Amino acid sequence: MKHLLCLAALLAATFTAAAQAKKAGEPVSIKQIEFKGDVKPGSNFVAVVTVAVEKGYYLYPNRVTSPQMFRTDLQVGQLPAIRALPAAFSSGVPKALPGIKEPVPVYEESFTVNVPLMLHQNAVLPLTVPAALSYQATQGTVRKPAAQ
């Protein structure tokens, strides 16, 4: 399912997310977004997005081991004032799943996504950057539908 969030780079070096509050019926929410590095025009920094997964659910990671698995992904919009580089996802934890011989990595409880960002020297803060987290939550053997 798509979980939209809006990353806001603030002069005070904090991130807020318009969709941080957990939506009813959604087992995934943005728990925290923080910076690593100085957020000022002309700088490079990393946004660390912590995603919470409701107990009893799991997500397949960004790098899936089978084409039947829906990979978790974070797409960050590009603007003239800021450029996002490819995101780095934390490693999943091995989980034994029915019908699969070997344990597969999954995200349970929480995971992080590091998004390297390059802020143009003429950028005016605050700056809003659109982003979308896509995932398919699974509870036991029941998969919630993936949606845009």
Side-chain angles (χ1 to χ4, degrees), residues 10 31 81 91 101:
L10 301 177
K31 182 176 179 181
S91 300
K101 293 180 183 180

Side-chain angles (χ1 to χ4, degrees), residues 83-101:
R83 180 172 175 230
L85 300 176
F89 287 73
S90 59
S91 300
V93 295
K95 182 176 180 79
L97 299 175
I100 301 175
K101 293 180 183 180

